[in-house]
Amino acid sequence: MSRNQESKMKILSTASTLFQKQGYHATGLNQIIKESGCPKGSLYYYFPEGKEQLATEAINRTKDFAAQELRNLFSQHDDVINALECFFGQCLSFNPKIAHDGIPLALISLETWHMSEQLRLACKNAYEELIMIVREKFIQSNWPPEEATEMAYLVFSMIEGGSIFVLTYKSNESLKRICKSIIELIKLKQKEIRRNLRNEL
């Protein structure tokens, strides 16, 4: 990676951490410049449209990383339940007391949807890509496309909602209960789907 690319990545990483830790509105460009240690000119060179562009690229960076991690994880499991149990295990290892290099989509979406169409669409696109990865895993486990789509949306809705509880309570206990309930629901639905498939044979 070139020095110029390293500067851009450092600015993105710093901005992502600050957006997560203190929110989009409370994070200023001067703070990002100071904490990244990069020259002011570097920020405006790579992000000439300012904070909105920086946040958009931070969301896209988080999406790309999360999508690749999810694909890699799912490729290690044949059954969607095993894949999701592993995914939930990773979610539960998140330490809510530490600022990470990434933006929880629910948080920045709730904060900015009404004031930035660009950020709203970036969050929407990120959700859609991640949801489609989960949907495809359900389909690989012989779920009908419609049921796979509905369950993928439900999984992400509950996980994103759970992330708000995690940060509010500074504890993973609520997310642990949510993950347990999701797996129980999926197991019941999968039994029903397999029973229906047997009946059709």
Side-chain angles (χ1 to χ4, degrees):
M1 184 183 293
S2 68
R3 179 175 294 180
N4 287 341
Q5 196 66 16
E6 285 180 5
S7 294
K8 182 178 181 180
M9 289 299 102
K10 195 168 185 180
I11 292 169
L12 270 175
S13 175
T14 301
S16 294
T17 300
L18 289 173
F19 289 148
Q20 177 185 314
K21 185 168 129 181
Q22 59 193 37
Y24 177 82
H25 293 299
T27 300
L29 293 180
N30 287 334
Q31 183 184 11
I32 294 170
I33 292 165
K34 181 179 178 180
E35 297 201 16
S36 70
C38 295
K40 191 171 187 178
S42 295
L43 190 149
Y44 289 104
Y45 175 77
Y46 292 115
F47 309 100
E49 297 173 25
K51 189 166 78 167
E52 187 176 39
Q53 181 188 5
L54 179 54
T56 300
E57 293 201 29
I59 292 167
N60 290 335
R61 179 171 174 262
T62 298
K63 175 201 69 176
D64 292 342
F65 176 79
Q68 188 58 51
E69 288 290 300
L70 200 54
R71 289 190 183 98
N72 290 342
L73 185 150
F74 280 5
S75 69
Q76 300 170 29
H77 302 276
D78 292 331
D79 184 71
V80 66
I81 292 175
N82 294 333
L84 287 174
E85 284 178 332
C86 188
F87 170 58
F88 293 158
Q90 290 189 355
C91 292
L92 291 168
S93 69
F94 175 82
N95 187 338
K97 299 179 182 179
I98 298 174
H100 295 262
D101 177 15
I103 306 174
L105 293 176
L107 301 182
I108 196 165
S109 180
L110 287 170
E111 189 180 5
T112 64
W113 69 269
H114 61 292
M115 47 75 65
S116 170
E117 184 68 1
Q118 180 174 316
L119 293 179
R120 186 190 71 79
L121 289 174
C123 289
K124 176 177 177 285
N125 291 337
Y127 277 131
E128 287 181 346
E129 182 167 342
L130 296 172
I131 287 168
M132 287 303 106
I133 293 171
V134 177
R135 175 185 182 272
E136 288 306 309
K137 195 63 187 177
F138 276 107
I139 291 174
Q140 288 172 16
S141 293
N142 298 316
W143 282 55
E146 185 63 29
E147 282 87 342
T149 301
E150 290 176 358
M151 191 59 73
Y153 272 98
L154 180 62
V155 166
F156 258 94
S157 295
M158 294 179 78
I159 291 297
E160 285 292 283
S163 71
I164 296 173
F165 281 103
V166 167
L167 295 172
T168 302
Y169 287 93
K170 291 190 175 181
S171 166
N172 286 331
E173 285 305 309
S174 55
L175 186 58
K176 190 181 296 183
R177 294 189 182 96
I178 288 170
C179 290
K180 181 175 180 289
S181 297
I182 294 172
I183 292 297
E184 290 174 354
L185 179 61
I186 292 172
K187 285 179 177 178
L188 287 173
K189 185 65 178 177
Q190 184 155 282
K191 284 181 181 178
E192 177 187 328
I193 288 170
R194 289 178 175 175
R195 185 171 58 247
N196 290 339
L197 286 174
R198 286 195 301 268
N199 292 338
E200 291 173 2
L201 295 177

